[in-house]
Amino acid sequence: SAARNTGTAAATGEYIYYLDSDDWLAPNAIKTLYDYTVENHCEVVQGGFYYAYDDYLLFDNSYKMPLILERHEAMRELIRNEYVKNFAWGKLYRSDIVKRHQFPKGKFYEDTYWQHHIIDETNRYGIVPTPLYYYRQRNTGISGTFSIKNLDLLKGYEERLLFIQVNYPEYICEMATKYWNVCHQYVQYALRL
C-alpha cells in the first residue's frame, strides 16, 4: 500500500498503471490499454492476464471480446468478480480518480478496500480480453495459503458491503452473498489448520 500510494502521488501522467514487483507485462500492454481507453472514452480499462506458474501459463478467458460497462454494471461485475477483477494491477486508470483514493496502509488485500471507490467514479469501464499481464503464482504467496492475514480480505469485503448498502442498494443481496461465502470459506480453511 505504501509503495502504491507513494507512486500514485508522484505520478504526473494522465493515466496510472499498477504492476506488482514479481509480475511482468506483454510488450504492447500499456499501448493496447491506452488506445482502447482513448477510443472508447473509458476512465478504467482492464486487460486480460495469465496466471504465470513456473512451468506453464493459465489464461483467464472469462471474457471473449472487448466490453464496455457503465458504472452500475461495472460495480455489479466487481461484486461477482468474474469480468471485473478486484486486483489493482492489470488496469489503466485515469490518474485524477486514483489520486483521490489512497490504499489503506498496513492491510493485506488492500485492493478490496479500494476498488469499489474507483468504480464509483467511473462512467465507462473497459475490458480488453487480450492477455497483457503475467500474474506470477507462488505457493508461498499470501493468496495461496490461509493465515490470520486473510482476515484483512474479510474486513475489506465488510467495508465494501456497507458501501454497497448505501450507494448501490440494488446489489446488496449479491454483495452479502459474496461476503458470507468468503466467511464460510475461511471457516473451512481454519478448521483444516
Side-chain angles (χ1 to χ4, degrees):
S1 297
R4 284 181 177 169
N5 289 337
T6 299
T8 300
T12 58
E14 189 178 352
Y15 296 95
I16 291 176
Y17 187 92
Y18 298 104
L19 173 65
D20 285 357
S21 61
D22 53 352
D23 301 337
W24 68 98
L25 300 177
N28 60 342
I30 302 297
K31 182 175 184 340
T32 299
L33 296 175
Y34 177 79
D35 289 347
Y36 193 84
T37 299
V38 172
E39 289 168 16
N40 295 284
H41 310 286
C42 298
E43 291 90 357
V44 179
V45 174
Q46 168 185 307
F49 64 94
Y50 289 110
Y51 291 102
Y53 292 89
D54 288 340
D55 51 354
Y56 68 96
L57 298 174
L58 179 63
F59 176 46
D60 177 11
N61 62 350
S62 301
Y63 34 88
K64 309 294 185 211
M65 55 190 218
L67 185 63
I68 296 176
L69 303 170
E70 304 299 325
R71 175 184 298 128
H72 279 258
E73 296 170 308
M75 191 64 74
R76 185 174 192 189
E77 290 303 327
L78 175 66
I79 294 167
R80 292 177 173 179
N81 197 34
E82 291 174 15
Y83 294 122
V84 174
K85 298 300 184 181
N86 193 56
F87 314 126
W89 54 257
K91 303 176 178 99
L92 190 67
Y93 300 92
R94 213 175 69 195
S95 61
D96 63 315
I97 294 174
V98 295
K99 283 179 175 284
R100 289 193 286 271
H101 302 282
Q102 288 204 336
F103 291 93
K105 294 177 185 170
K107 299 281 187 191
F108 292 93
Y109 303 100
E110 66 273 9
D111 322 58
T112 307
Y113 297 79
W114 181 83
Q115 196 69 247
H116 55 280
H117 293 290
I118 303 305
I119 289 178
D120 188 50
E121 291 198 39
T122 301
N123 293 315
R124 291 170 63 83
Y125 186 105
I127 298 175
V128 176
T130 307
L132 301 171
Y133 193 98
Y134 294 80
Y135 177 35
R136 186 181 302 277
Q137 300 297 294
R138 299 181 193 277
N139 292 332
T140 57
I142 62 168
S143 58
T145 57
F146 181 78
S147 75
I148 199 71
K149 297 172 186 175
N150 292 88
L151 296 181
D152 280 351
L153 178 63
L154 194 58
K155 182 66 178 166
Y157 276 141
E158 181 180 335
E159 286 189 18
R160 184 176 291 170
L161 177 66
L162 296 173
F163 179 87
I164 295 295
Q165 182 179 19
V166 171
N167 298 287
Y168 298 86
E170 66 271 29
Y171 302 141
I172 190 64
C173 289
E174 286 185 74
M175 187 62 223
T177 300
K178 182 75 167 182
Y179 175 75
W180 289 113
N181 285 341
V182 173
C183 289
H184 177 73
Q185 180 182 29
Y186 280 6
V187 167
Q188 298 305 310
Y189 286 156
L191 289 173
R192 287 186 224 142
L193 293 178

